[in-house]
Amino acid sequence: ADTPCNSPGNLTYNCKLDNFMDRTEGGSIKHIPDGWWYFVLQGDPEMRSSIDTLWGAPSQELWSDGTPFIAGIYQQVKVTPGVVYKANIGWAAPTKPDFERRLGLDPTGGTDPTAGTVIWGPSSWEVTPMPDLTVSARATGETMTLFAWVNHTNSHGRDQVFLDDIGLWPDPDAPAATPTPTPTHTPTPKPPSRSG
């Protein structure tokens, strides 16, 4: 399998998650790939770089010790309105069961993973490092947000999941939307007034 980072026209910055920034703001460590940000909806998982990946270290690790969590990373990407974009992840490897992984796209460029505008692809709960988590959406503006979501529902002790190589590119199989012409309105001439 090839990394999504090699897809023609890939737009994600730091697609291979090679460079990390310390974005800790209290609570557990939040070392996040440069160009990405994080969200935490439940729990407080530690997020840091790791060597666990097929594509060459580092990768993004999320882990907790005995506590379920819902968290992930996202990136806002500059896009062309009307174009369909496809996203995929090369590595989404859990060490235990009970890890849901999925990708989402917000065509409006929002940063809330719970927003109704986010289009989510299929989920994988399998203990497999390379699930097919492809998702597509048509851009409605000049920014699209790519989310990598992890929902860890049941702790088995020290639980880890590793993410790497998250790409977004124009879908060559989906044509761009053709703009609908604005209808022109020809005013009806006012009838002549009758003189009495």
Side-chain angles (χ1 to χ4, degrees), residues 79-85 137-140 144 169-171 174-177:
V79 293
T80 302
V83 173
V84 175
Y85 291 86
R138 189 180 299 278
T140 60
M144 179 176 278
W169 61 93
D171 186 348

Side-chain angles (χ1 to χ4, degrees), residues 7 28 51 95 110 133 139 188:
S7 296
S28 66
I51 61 170
T95 58
L133 301 181
T188 306

